[in-house]
Amino acid sequence: MPAVDPRACTGCGLCVSACPMDGLAGAMPGVEALAARLSSVPSPVLGCTGADGVEAHARVPCLGYLTEEELAALAVLVPQGVQLNATRCPACPRKGATETVAERAARVAELRPGGEVRIARSPRDLSFRERSLDRRTFFRSLGWGTTAGASALLKSAAPADPCGRSAKQLPRRRAALHLALEHAQPGAAARLADAFSFTLTVDDRCTACPRCAAMCPTGALARVGEGPDRHIELDPQRCSGCRVCEAFCPSGSLRIDGNGACGGERPVPFRRDVCETVPLHAPKAVAATPSAW
């Protein structure tokens, strides 16, 4: 298991936001809750809890906790734009996260999902006013608060299905992307889907055994069909790009590519568990690619 040296860790959250499967925990509020607070002010500011005197209408432990998908969701859900308050970052032990967050915000800006999400590095770049609700912003905030609460209630009331996909959970970055796609304009939704999508390729060495589907933590993979028509299919809306399926594929015949988690990079599999015996007359798998979002 990974070990964290508490003497060296600054708590910037970059490891938490980089993990495609929420393997590292952090006290991060949901993107719906953040949007509910930020959408109620004309010039919303998102800050951190790690430094004193940071002006903000909503806060996260550190800006490094924010994934690209969450930044995209905030851009969609807060059309007036969001300012990321990094004015105190230079004097903070977590200052190393600032450049990474700036790069993430820049990549999201290129997709034009909605409102602008930008970094304010100095006080003169920051436009902060205390919260003052007029009639319009009050009802907009109330609407998002109701949406966030209803979403949380529905998730908590979902029936358990230990044998099906519903028993597996989406990581917060993928859930944030779903939220952005649901509320974005069609053109922006298409750009977001393309930027964060993954593709599954399966070659003829695949035996269509269910190991990859069983190990997939989000339920994105499934074995479908019977007899010679058996093959592995990918649900692109659930795939987080963690590539655990590759590491557990007995024949090494499965490959995940894409632009989502890890920026499209292909890390070395953490485990290669290869079966020594493969059926001689295995059914040929069909190459699967994501369907339209």
Side-chain angles (χ1 to χ4, degrees), residues 24-228:
L24 297 168
M28 176 70 184
V31 69
E32 290 171 304
L34 291 175
R37 293 188 60 84
L38 295 172
S39 61
S40 64
V41 290
S43 300
V45 176
L46 180 60
C48 69
T49 60
D52 296 330
V54 175
E55 296 177 314
H57 301 105
R59 300 180 187 275
V60 293
C62 178
L63 297 180
Y65 278 73
L66 295 166
T67 67
E68 288 184 32
E69 292 90 335
E70 287 170 322
L71 292 174
L74 288 176
V76 172
L77 302 179
V78 188
Q80 65 268 44
V82 177
Q83 304 169 79
L84 304 179
N85 189 345
T87 57
R88 298 298 180 94
C89 291
C92 178
R94 306 172 178 179
K95 60 183 178 181
T98 307
E99 293 306 319
T100 300
V101 176
E103 292 172 2
R104 292 173 179 174
R107 287 194 291 265
V108 168
E110 292 177 358
L111 299 173
R112 308 185 308 280
E116 180 186 14
V117 177
R118 66 178 181 88
I119 289 248
R121 297 177 180 269
S122 66
R124 65 176 178 273
D125 297 330
L126 184 69
S127 174
F128 177 79
R129 289 186 294 174
E130 293 292 344
R131 185 184 303 272
S132 177
L133 292 181
D134 57 26
R135 183 181 180 88
R136 180 177 180 181
T137 56
F138 170 78
F139 282 107
R140 182 168 55 194
S141 174
L142 181 63
W144 270 119
T146 304
T147 300
S151 176
L153 180 63
L154 289 173
K155 291 175 183 177
S156 64
D161 181 12
C163 298
R165 290 187 178 186
S166 61
K168 301 186 177 185
Q169 298 181 350
L170 288 178
R172 64 182 179 91
R173 63 190 307 159
R174 211 62 183 171
L177 179 62
H178 284 199
L179 194 63
L181 293 173
E182 179 182 353
H183 295 280
Q185 295 296 321
R191 290 191 296 271
L192 289 173
D194 182 65
F196 293 103
S197 64
F198 294 93
T199 302
L200 170 70
T201 303
V202 183
D203 64 34
D204 8 350
R205 294 174 296 166
C206 177
T207 65
C209 79
R211 181 174 297 190
C212 58
M215 296 308 301
C216 177
T218 67
L221 292 173
R223 182 175 69 176
V224 298
E226 297 293 338

Side-chain angles (χ1 to χ4, degrees), residues 269-291:
F270 66 89
R271 176 181 175 185
R272 178 63 66 182
D273 187 4
V274 181
C275 291
E276 295 183 356
T277 58
V278 179
L280 295 178
H281 302 286
K284 182 177 180 179
V286 179
T289 54
S291 56

